[in-house]
Amino acid sequence: MDLVKEIQRLKKEKNAIILAHYYQVGEIQDIADYVGDSLGLSQKAAETDADMIVFAGVHFMAETAKILSPDKTVVLPDLNAGCSLADSCPPEAFEKFTKAHPNHVVITYVNCSAEIKALSDIVCTSSNALKIVNSIPKETPIIFAPDKNLGQYIINETGRDMVLWDGSCIVHEAFSMEKLIQLHKKYPDYKIIAHPESETHILDTATYIGSTSGMINYVKKHQDQKFIVATEAGILHKMKQEMPNTELVPAPAKEDNTCACSECHFMKMNTLQKLYDCMLNESPQIEVDPEIIERALLPIERMLELSK
Ligand code: 13P
Ligand code: SF4
């Protein structure tokens, strides 16, 4: 069976839209109607008139799409495609944490569950985090969760003293400083660009820090330069497609990591076969409690409003 043809057929038959993140395998990115970062994907999910959203990404992304479009069918190729960062912030413990810091505005990075979003005042992604934090009056204290690395980056950039939740992404914490230094010695004229989920010592080496789409746009603007790319390696697919003459090397991961570069095994759980199956069977579907949807929608809408 020609999976690509069959997926195209199902897309028409079911009036479906395929939204894919830059960390998906290349063949999924190539068949998607839209490939983007977390912000772009949620903007698409909010505006689409498709009946079915096929989310080629991880669970929190598909859940955000369901919150924004509760009447649509939202399917995820593999329900186990989670996120270590989202998992590092369980709702009960987080609710206690917010209660221990009364009068704080709660800003949460979109990489968290719907329950955490429902406990938030405003959501952000890596592409609008600085803008969202700067939109809060200076004298108002802030809780930032769940990513302590992104949080620390925002503190350094804005000078705001935020209370951070102690969460992180296993993929972005896997970069090895030692190996990065060795790689840079081998490629001294390569500039380092990094995602803000990386640790401070990695970010300190970077010429540019930004979201996945921010990194792609930066390379696009500087195609004559060469880059070491410190984020999940799936992003190289789009970069190589759009900038075929730009030299790119993925940042190296620590010895104990499963691959030489950094791959998110959650993102890589989705395959073309599972994508086809989920469209055909309209399963697995993302379901969110209506009461949670009601509470989680407002902080996401606030973010979308501020990101226009
Ligand atoms: P972006 O919003 O930058 O695409 O980040 C998503 C993500 O999961 C990074 O690990
Ligand atoms: Fe989560 Fe990290 Fe994977 Fe992004 S790369 S989905 S933050 S585990």
Side-chain angles (χ1 to χ4, degrees), residues 160-219:
R160 294 293 291 257
D161 184 21
M162 307 191 297
V163 179
L164 301 181
W165 178 263
D166 188 12
S168 61
C169 157
I170 42 167
V171 178
H172 287 86
E173 286 208 331
F175 294 122
S176 156
M177 191 62 189
E178 210 180 301
K179 285 189 177 179
L180 185 61
I181 293 167
Q182 280 168 15
L183 189 72
H184 201 249
K185 274 190 189 151
K186 195 172 158 195
Y187 299 108
D189 52 341
Y190 280 53
K191 300 257 162 62
I192 298 168
I193 55 172
H195 194 280
E197 284 174 24
S198 312
E199 292 170 288
T200 305
H201 57 265
I202 300 288
L203 296 182
D204 285 345
T205 68
T207 307
Y208 174 80
I209 298 165
S211 70
T212 50
S213 57
M215 292 170 86
I216 291 170
N217 289 336
Y218 187 82
V219 174

Side-chain angles (χ1 to χ4, degrees), residues 205-307:
T205 68
T207 307
Y208 174 80
I209 298 165
S211 70
T212 50
S213 57
M215 292 170 86
I216 291 170
N217 289 336
Y218 187 82
V219 174
K220 220 177 256 176
K221 276 196 201 135
H222 303 87
Q223 291 187 39
D224 51 329
Q225 295 180 15
K226 302 168 183 180
F227 296 99
I228 295 174
V229 183
T231 192
E232 210 271 357
I235 198 173
L236 293 168
H237 177 74
K238 186 59 82 194
M239 285 181 173
K240 284 177 181 163
Q241 244 175 11
E242 295 200 1
M243 286 77 73
N245 299 320
T246 303
E247 308 235 10
L248 305 163
V249 181
K254 290 168 193 158
E255 215 64 74
D256 55 355
N257 209 45
T258 44
C259 67
C261 55
S262 259
E263 282 201 339
C264 174
H265 74 276
F266 299 111
M267 285 280 182
K268 268 36 184 195
M269 281 179 182
N270 296 330
T271 61
L272 212 52
Q273 179 69 50
K274 287 184 200 171
L275 189 81
Y276 166 75
D277 290 343
C278 81
M279 289 177 79
L280 181 73
N281 303 324
E282 302 189 13
S283 166
Q285 275 192 38
I286 300 293
E287 303 289 356
V288 185
D289 181 327
E291 190 257 335
I292 296 286
I293 290 188
E294 207 183 311
R295 286 167 47 215
L297 182 61
L298 193 63
I300 300 171
E301 282 183 339
R302 282 189 184 129
M303 169 189 79
L304 292 177
E305 193 52 41
L306 272 171
S307 307

